[in-house]
């Protein structure tokens, strides 16, 4: 069973919904989830905020945060997830932001990825390790 199949199966069993807000992954998580038969029972939708300004206009990320810290950080990832959760009216949401390259962005090295998960009363931003 793939990870996407497992996520859809477990969320279906629990009758909970999911949405995504993706930057570095460009909609890949949503695509993987929606490739699973029956995903429509739990997957509410996705925001693909690849462009910096879309993180603010679509996901509601604070403009001052972006001006001060850029878009590659835990607070941006967390606000992106919260924005997807609100916009898609889902129980849970995940968000990704990072630097795919070929050069650094906002002072973050190529390969830096922030991943956030939010749910009812729960939020967890995590920096994924850089692979050499």
């Amino acid at each position: 069973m793939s990870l996407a199949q497992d996520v859809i199966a477990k969320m279906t069993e629990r009758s909970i919904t999911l949405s995504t807000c993706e930057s570095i992954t460009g909609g890949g998580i949503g695509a993987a989830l929606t490739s699973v038969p029956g995903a429509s029972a739990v997957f509410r939708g996705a925001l693909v905020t690849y462009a910096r300004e879309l993180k603010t206009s679509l996901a509601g990320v604070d403009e001052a945060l972006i001006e001060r810290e850029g878009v590659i950080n835990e607070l941006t990832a967390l606000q992106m997830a919260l924005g997807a959760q609100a916009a898609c009216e889902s129980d849970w949401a995940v968000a990704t932001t990072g630097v795919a390259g070929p050069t650094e962005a906002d002072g973050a090295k190529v390969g830096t990825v922030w991943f956030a998960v939010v749910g009812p009363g729960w939020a967890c931003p995590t920096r994924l390790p850089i692979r050499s």
Side-chain angles (χ1 to χ4, degrees):
M1 177 179 285
S2 74
L3 178 58
Q5 289 170 319
D6 192 39
V7 167
I8 296 299
K10 287 182 174 153
M11 295 190 115
T12 300
E13 287 171 13
R14 293 170 177 82
S15 297
I16 54 178
T17 57
L18 175 66
S19 62
T20 63
C21 184
E22 301 179 60
S23 183
I24 190 169
T25 48
I29 296 170
L33 292 168
T34 57
S35 72
V36 177
S40 61
V42 298
F43 188 72
R44 296 279 302 152
L47 306 175
V48 179
T49 59
Y50 207 71
R52 179 180 291 256
E53 65 274 8
L54 294 180
K55 289 171 182 60
T56 298
S57 65
L58 296 179
V61 176
D62 181 51
E63 282 186 65
L65 169 65
I66 292 175
E67 286 298 316
R68 189 177 62 251
E69 305 289 334
V71 296
I72 316 300
N73 58 71
E74 73 179 297
L75 290 177
T76 297
L78 182 58
Q79 288 186 14
M80 288 169 63
L82 290 167
Q85 184 184 38
C88 297
E89 299 178 352
S90 62
D91 299 311
W92 290 84
V94 299
T96 59
T97 187
V99 186
T103 60
E104 292 184 0
D106 292 336
K109 294 181 180 179
V110 173
T112 301
V113 177
W114 282 93
F115 183 88
V117 178
V118 298
W122 193 82
C124 181
T126 302
R127 182 170 180 232
L128 300 178
I130 297 173
R131 293 190 179 154
S132 324

